[in-house]
Amino acid sequence: TMSTTSEIRRTFLEFFVRNGHQEVASSPLVPLNDPTLMFTNAGMVQFKNVFTGSETRPYSRATTSQKCVRAGGKHNDLDNVGYTARHHTFFEMLGNFSFGDYFKEQAIEYAWTLITRDYGLPKDRLLVTVHSSDEEAAALWRKISGFSDSRILRIPTSDNFWSMGDTGPCGPCSEIFFDHGDHIPGGPPGSPEADGDRFIEIWNLVFMQFEQRGPGDRIDLPRPSVDTGMGLERIAAVLQGKHDNYDIDLMRGLIEAVAHAAGTDPDGPAKVSHRVIADHLRASCFLIADGVLPANEGRGYVLRRIMRRAMRHAHLMGCTEPLMWRLVPALVRAMGDQFAELDRAQALMTETLRLEETRFKRMLDRGLKLLADETGALAEGDCLSGDVAFRLYDTYGFPLDLTQDALRARGIGVDVEGFSTAMERQKAEARKSWTGSGEQATEAVWFDVRERIGATEFLGYTGTSAEGMIA
Ligand code: ATP
Ligand code: MG
Ligand code: MG
Ligand code: MG
């Protein structure tokens, strides 16, 4: 019988608990003590200080299923959602961690045992990568899996080398891929066709072996560590005999809830929209449950972009009434068991979605009409002018990625540079027309804005969220 996503999560955690790991709850999506990071985007985030040694825990091995959002900052998969088989904005990352306890050999041994014995994956559908400099990992894979070198690919790029930042722990990674079959376009990792969805990365093992102390100054860590991440939805797809993450029980249930509420066919021409809405519903609700509210800056602006992108897709499916808020019960039913915060925040999620949908509805209708007028004469390969994209942003509340997504199916791009120029121009005019207290006060206002918003990593879009406050 086929395992459910919940069972697959349990199997992972129990395997590592059996092997001496402490099960630790997922941390919130808003990192507790890291203002430089937009959202929790990996399992290791809550353990950062344990890895650097500035914090200690009563255990040296841990396992988690971590809530992650990759929709802003360095890792941004927003544009992939709806179009690849393997990307979500919100997903769960399963992980096992060794804080100076076991290292490479044990980590590979655990991973191999779990996927081939407990999960029962066939060996001949698996492939692994190591960093070109890591002969040790290649040798261990040969020994533990029995693979020949043809299934142990050496990758010289940063894809297989992880670092926390310019300084701090770092080291080579080894990734495990599943071959979904030659009927799917795509090549093995490292090949020119690697971007396809045939070989899907299911698990990334990071070997924290060095400490970078400065440029060109790297030392061996006396007690190296391990950090791994496996996408729950990706392993569920493999185990449920599906190629596509969106066909697993959990995502399929949400997609059917969308179709039911909208009165649409989930596999018809609006298939992409159903996927986008199901994904964005999860991201929006989990962010709200962790205290993020829609806003014109920072984290709240990323949430707003996700919500509005989903709302356009609801419009595309012909929904004339707000839709997202009606889907909250389906999400709570599907995931409330594992995540009590969904239960607690149900009313807040519902009201936040309904308010944002109601507010944006009229602007969306009018903005889409403007967009249709402005692009009527454009053809595939053309570009929408930056001025129009900016007017949509400024007057109709269209985040840039919403406009880009709206034109994507027709193969029309957006002049992003022109958009930024228009933004800069407006910013300059806002400065000029500032009559309050002269130039210095104006600078102070902008300084405050920048201070409050912080580093570029923190910006959803470099440059756009701050200006949104004035717009
Ligand atoms: P990809 O190359 O497919 O984008 P990645 O290398 O960016 O994945 P990692 O940063 O190594 O991903 O994250 C660890 C694991 O988390 C991946 O092996 C994958 O299983 C899962 N994962 C990463 N990004 C996503 C996403 N956007 N949606 C679902 N699962 C993801
Ligand atoms: Mg990625
Ligand atoms: Mg990758
Ligand atoms: Mg990876």
Side-chain angles (χ1 to χ4, degrees):
T1 61
M2 200 172 72
S3 300
T4 64
T5 299
S6 284
E7 290 163 353
I8 293 163
R9 185 197 290 117
R10 270 280 109 222
T11 300
F12 184 98
L13 296 171
E14 275 164 17
F15 174 88
F16 284 105
V17 167
R18 244 190 352 263
N19 285 289
H21 294 64
Q22 171 76 41
E23 185 178 338
V24 178
S26 172
S27 66
L29 285 168
V30 176
L32 288 172
N33 45 20
D34 191 347
T36 66
L37 189 64
M38 173 85 74
F39 299 122
T40 300
N41 57 19
M44 63 79 58
V45 169
Q46 69 165 318
F47 300 117
K48 253 188 186 175
N49 294 338
V50 187
F51 283 120
T52 59
S54 66
E55 185 191 336
T56 53
R57 301 268 173 117
Y59 43 83
S60 61
R61 303 172 167 211
T63 183
T64 61
S65 184
Q66 175 65 50
K67 301 183 278 188
C68 294
V69 165
R70 293 193 172 182
K74 198 166 73 178
H75 286 284
N76 186 355
D77 287 328
L78 185 64
D79 297 335
N80 289 326
V81 170
Y83 305 100
T84 71
R86 69 184 198 277
H87 288 109
H88 303 283
T89 53
F90 172 92
F91 65 99
E92 280 178 70
M93 195 185 286
L94 300 162
N96 58 291
F97 308 91
S98 156
F99 311 117
D101 189 326
Y102 61 84
F103 196 45
K104 231 176 260 190
E105 176 160 17
Q106 186 65 149
I108 292 175
E109 178 91 53
Y110 281 145
W112 185 250
T113 305
L114 177 60
I115 56 176
T116 59
R117 191 194 67 193
D118 297 63
Y119 284 150
L121 297 189
K123 235 176 107 165
D124 62 358
R125 304 286 290 276
L126 297 167
L127 238 164
V128 301
T129 63
V130 297
H131 190 254
S132 313
S133 66
D134 196 1
E135 268 317 312
E136 187 190 4
L140 287 168
W141 273 117
R142 271 196 306 271
K143 182 175 108 184
I144 291 165
S145 70
F147 278 164
S148 68
D149 273 343
S150 66
R151 286 189 171 270
I152 304 170
L153 308 180
R154 287 157 170 81
I155 308 281
T157 65
S158 62
D159 270 355
N160 280 67
F161 197 91
W162 178 88
S163 59
M164 197 178 276
D166 291 338
T167 58
C170 60
C173 333
S174 179
E175 298 190 322
I176 303 171
F177 286 76
F178 185 80
D179 180 359
H180 281 271
D182 57 14
H183 57 293
I184 295 155
S191 75
E193 304 81 35
D195 252 357
D197 272 334
R198 173 175 165 187
F199 295 88
I200 289 189
E201 176 189 331
I202 51 174
W203 203 349
N204 191 357
L205 317 180
V206 179
F207 309 123
M208 289 185 200
Q209 187 165 355
F210 310 112
E211 182 185 347
Q212 193 76 36
R213 297 197 296 187
D217 179 11
R218 186 185 283 176
I219 56 162
D220 286 339
L221 281 173
R223 294 172 65 216
S225 292
V226 171
D227 151 35
T228 84
M230 169 153 72
L232 171 63
E233 298 79 359
R234 291 190 190 182
I235 185 67
V238 169
L239 292 175
Q240 295 179 6
K242 311 288 186 196
H243 164 241
D244 194 312
N245 279 18
Y246 291 82
D247 289 332
I248 66 173
D249 55 346
L250 175 60
M251 295 311 293
R252 189 65 199 176
L254 295 175
I255 285 170
E256 271 158 18
V258 174
H260 181 75
T264 47
D265 173 5
D267 303 307
K271 185 174 166 184
V272 168
S273 294
H274 288 82
R275 297 160 66 106
V276 170
I277 293 169
D279 174 88
H280 290 10
L281 174 75
R282 290 212 303 170
S284 303
C285 287
F286 273 97
L287 285 170
I288 295 166
D290 278 348
V292 182
L293 290 173
N296 284 331
E297 58 173 347
R299 297 188 172 108
Y301 190 60
V302 177
L303 170 60
R304 175 161 278 165
R305 278 162 48 204
I306 295 170
M307 290 165 88
R308 292 190 172 181
R309 193 168 184 265
M311 289 169 201
R312 187 188 73 83
H313 281 276
H315 176 101
L316 208 60
M317 299 195 317
C319 295
T320 51
E321 294 300 318
L323 172 78
M324 301 274 286
W325 70 281
R326 293 169 53 209
L327 303 169
V328 171
L331 177 67
V332 175
R333 237 178 292 121
M335 300 190 73
D337 275 355
Q338 177 73 13
F339 298 100
E341 64 270 37
L342 286 185
D343 244 338
R344 282 198 300 271
Q346 180 155 3
L348 181 65
M349 295 178 321
T350 307
E351 280 318 301
T352 306
L353 281 165
R354 186 157 63 162
L355 190 65
E356 182 79 4
E357 285 190 279
T358 309
R359 277 191 181 150
F360 187 49
K361 188 91 195 93
R362 264 189 45 226
M363 304 256 266
L364 179 65
D365 292 345
R366 286 162 53 201
L368 287 173
K369 195 177 168 312
L370 171 72
L371 188 62
D373 291 346
E374 292 287 343
T375 58
L378 298 185
E380 191 168 342
D382 286 346
C383 226
L384 178 72
S385 87
D387 279 333
V388 176
F390 182 69
R391 186 138 50 94
L392 285 165
Y393 164 82
D394 192 38
T395 311
Y396 299 96
F398 278 36
L400 179 60
D401 54 50
L402 188 157
T403 303
Q404 289 169 319
D405 190 46
L407 296 174
R408 180 174 172 147
R410 291 171 59 200
I412 298 171
V414 176
D415 174 8
V416 176
E417 216 164 284
F419 176 88
S420 305
T421 311
M423 177 86 78
E424 284 304 315
R425 201 182 317 123
Q426 198 209 46
K427 187 168 125 182
E429 268 156 30
R431 268 213 187 96
K432 240 190 311 179
S433 60
W434 177 272
T435 49
S437 348
E439 189 63 25
Q440 244 162 1
T442 314
E443 288 305 326
V445 167
W446 280 101
F447 185 73
D448 280 353
V449 170
R450 227 178 307 131
E451 279 294 277
R452 217 152 0 109
I453 287 172
T456 15
E457 164 71 6
F458 193 69
L459 291 171
Y461 262 120
T462 313
T464 56
S465 16
E467 283 81 0
M469 293 184 56
I470 311 276

